[in-house]
Amino acid sequence: MQTSGAEDSVNAAKPIFFGLDGCKAGWFYIGIDEAGECQFGVLKNFKDLHPFLAHAKLVLVDIPIGLPWQGQKTRLCDMAARKAISPRGSSVFPAPARSSLYKTNYQQGSEENRRQLGKGLSKQTWNITPKIKQVDEFIRDMKPGKKVREMHPEVAFWALNGKKVLSHKKKQQAGLDERLDILARHYARARECFLSARAKYLVKDVASDDILDAMVGAVTAMQFPRLASLPETPLKDEENIPMEIVFCDDA
């Protein structure tokens, strides 16, 4: 199994399918090539993904891409995702308005979101706004098109599980085992990859669920082109970015 840190070059012998999830240390990524070789590492900033794009077949990231605004105050993909994974729909956070990402504190950000969308921000959403901002700026500056798309881990696991809602929360040991079992059905080296990543990083930098969430992104990307999105025909935001959540359609 090959592993790669953020400072290392990507093994580009074959096209690579990537999954990324935000973590305390930055962005944890897993890449799986067409031979099933796994590599992983941590990027300090999302813009550090740029050199990887030349070798990536598809990158799926757990963060909102395409943001609501006054003309479309609710992302239909979030509504569809909550319905699909009910009763775990609360794991799909409401996406913030783009202008709220540039406020300096929670109160200002929440007030701006209320001005734009008619509702304030939760503390959970505010806490991830720096990462949403990184991705939004990357998408707008780099214009990677369909090479970088949004996924939601619980939707991705639901789809890989035959569109059946999972029984356990991901932070429980039973939830970790349940998710690894699902991943192993579609990627035989899932446990090996997980254990290698778990051994390399401190939990305070990369949590176990960060590894799971990045891996389900990579394993979902591997199913290309057997992918679909919620909703089937995504709306675009005011920057012409699709608001969608990608999943495997026929696992």
Side-chain angles (χ1 to χ4, degrees):
M1 175 176 297
Q2 295 207 344
T3 64
S4 171
E7 70 281 1
D8 300 324
S9 61
V10 176
N11 172 26
K14 301 177 179 65
I16 302 169
F17 301 94
F18 285 100
L20 281 90
D21 187 55
C23 63
K24 290 288 180 64
W27 295 89
F28 180 75
Y29 71 83
I30 287 181
I32 304 172
D33 68 22
E34 291 178 333
E37 290 292 329
C38 171
Q39 55 189 265
F40 53 79
V42 172
L43 307 177
K44 290 183 179 179
N45 190 290
F46 198 81
K47 66 184 179 182
D48 298 331
L49 176 69
H50 185 251
F52 291 32
L53 292 183
H55 315 302
K57 180 75 173 180
L58 176 63
V59 177
L60 294 182
V61 56
D62 175 22
I63 206 76
I65 294 176
L67 299 173
W69 78 105
Q70 285 184 334
Q72 179 64 45
K73 296 183 178 181
T74 302
R75 300 201 318 162
L76 299 184
C77 58
D78 294 339
M79 297 174 63
R82 291 188 195 105
K83 182 177 180 181
I85 64 172
S86 178
R88 299 197 182 281
S90 61
S91 66
V92 182
F93 298 167
R98 182 170 283 111
S99 55
S100 69
L101 305 179
Y102 292 86
K103 300 303 178 181
T104 57
N105 58 53
Y106 170 68
Q107 183 177 351
Q108 292 177 5
S110 190
E111 288 174 355
E112 175 62 16
N113 205 71
R114 183 172 284 107
R115 187 179 75 81
Q116 291 286 336
L117 307 182
K119 57 187 176 183
L121 291 175
S122 69
K123 280 289 182 69
Q124 282 181 308
T125 300
W126 173 252
N127 288 339
I128 63 171
T129 54
K131 284 187 162 55
I132 297 174
K133 182 171 177 281
Q134 285 182 27
V135 176
D136 184 59
E137 291 180 345
F138 180 90
I139 296 294
R140 288 189 287 137
D141 292 345
M142 298 294 104
K143 296 179 171 50
K146 289 199 170 187
K147 187 167 272 193
V148 180
R149 302 173 74 183
E150 176 183 349
M151 64 93 178
H152 188 284
E154 292 304 293
V155 173
F157 277 115
W158 162 82
L160 293 175
N161 195 39
K163 296 185 179 177
K164 296 177 183 176
V165 178
L166 278 63
S167 301
H168 304 285
K169 296 180 179 179
K170 65 182 180 180
K171 291 186 181 293
Q172 300 171 339
Q173 183 62 45
L176 187 152
D177 291 337
E178 181 181 27
R179 285 159 178 78
L180 280 176
D181 286 345
I182 293 168
L183 290 168
R185 292 180 217 157
H186 303 276
Y187 174 51
R189 300 165 96 172
R191 288 185 179 275
E192 179 188 356
C193 183
F194 174 85
L195 291 173
S196 293
R198 180 65 288 151
K200 183 172 181 178
Y201 296 100
L202 297 174
V203 174
K204 70 179 183 66
D205 295 325
V206 180
S208 292
D209 56 294
D210 297 331
I211 301 171
L212 287 175
D213 291 350
M215 194 184 303
V216 79
V219 171
T220 297
M222 288 171 65
Q223 312 309 310
F224 181 86
R226 299 181 299 113
L227 301 175
S229 68
L230 297 173
E232 185 175 351
T233 304
L235 296 178
K236 294 184 177 181
D237 74 2
E238 58 186 341
E239 294 287 340
N240 205 37
I241 300 170
M243 297 181 287
E244 62 174 358
I245 293 175
V246 175
F247 63 96
C248 178
D249 195 28
D250 60 349

